[in-house]
Amino acid sequence: MASKLKNIKTIAQLRECVDGWRNAGDKIVLVPTMGALHEGHLSLVKMAREAGDRTVVSIFVNPAQFAPNEDFGSYPRENAEDLQKLERLGVDLVFMPPREEIYPEDFSTHVEVPGLSEGLCGTSRPHFFGGVATVVAKLLNQCRPDVAIFGEKDFQQLLVIRRMARDLDTGVEILGGPLIREEDGLAMSSRNAYLSPQERKKAPLIHQAIRELAEGLANGGNIARLRETATGRLVQAGFEIDYLEVCNAENLAPLTTLAGEPARVFIAAKLGKTRLIDNMAVPDRTK
Ligand code: AMP
């Protein structure tokens, strides 16, 4: 049965609607986003439609995860287009709260997930994972879904949220969806809109560099040497590398050798003013 998309702005209305579905026995799946939706987001929405009976998508550009010098003000906002895309996919409810609904004036609680939030993006964006964990904890409480879905594009974020959801006994199952790329390999991101045409041409080099690194490692190469090669290539092309690391895919501990651990390559690099991130599993050729 085709359902009309509900566009809801308050927590009270969200609760009322979702409680009704839950009481009717429906399985509720939540996909949190900051909007400016692309095929990466929409792949999670399609997963959500498969995983449950009712799909809720939240669109909220969360000020708590931006530092004062970051792009909160200029972050793309495309609400009308987003709503059309979600309606076409058969989403049941879009939650688009205004800032004061999420952060009333005297808001003061903060959720931190030490350990997994340190290193990689946590080093250069120390405010980031606390801001994400806080808003996602709130969204899980507001919606009380059975399942929430996040993308592997933000792999560290996925692990932080999964730990938070377990540690706080939310009872919500956290699923990860695969990273979706453009045809030339660039990881899809709302921030790709910031790239100039010239930068956009260069940007897939990030993917090429980490793919070669991951392949080199899988074929028995040395981590330090492969990192050096990849770094040299990217710096030469004009990227400013924030980090390029090979880490354990479960606890994010940096690796200097593979030693049979599940490994993943992680990168963040700036091209002009745009910060791009990407990551990729190291294929396991030992089995
Ligand atoms: P954002 O709007 O950037 O906060 O992203 C909302 C959700 O979409 C997060 O769970 C992201 O990890 C996910 N996402 C963003 N880009 C992609 C992508 N290229 N592939 C898969 N998931 C993505």
Side-chain angles (χ1 to χ4, degrees), residues 32-35 38 40-41 43-44 65 75 149-154 157 177-181 187-190:
T33 80
M34 298 206 298
H38 50 66
H41 297 113
S43 71
L44 304 183
Q65 68 193 67
Y75 196 84
I149 305 187
F150 298 84
E152 290 186 349
K153 156 87 186 339
D154 303 276
Q157 170 175 285
L179 195 164
I180 305 298
R181 300 180 180 282
M188 287 191 182
S189 164
S190 307

Side-chain angles (χ1 to χ4, degrees), residues 23 28 38 80 131 178 185 193 204 206 280:
N23 291 340
I28 319 288
H38 50 66
I206 289 202
M280 179 174 294

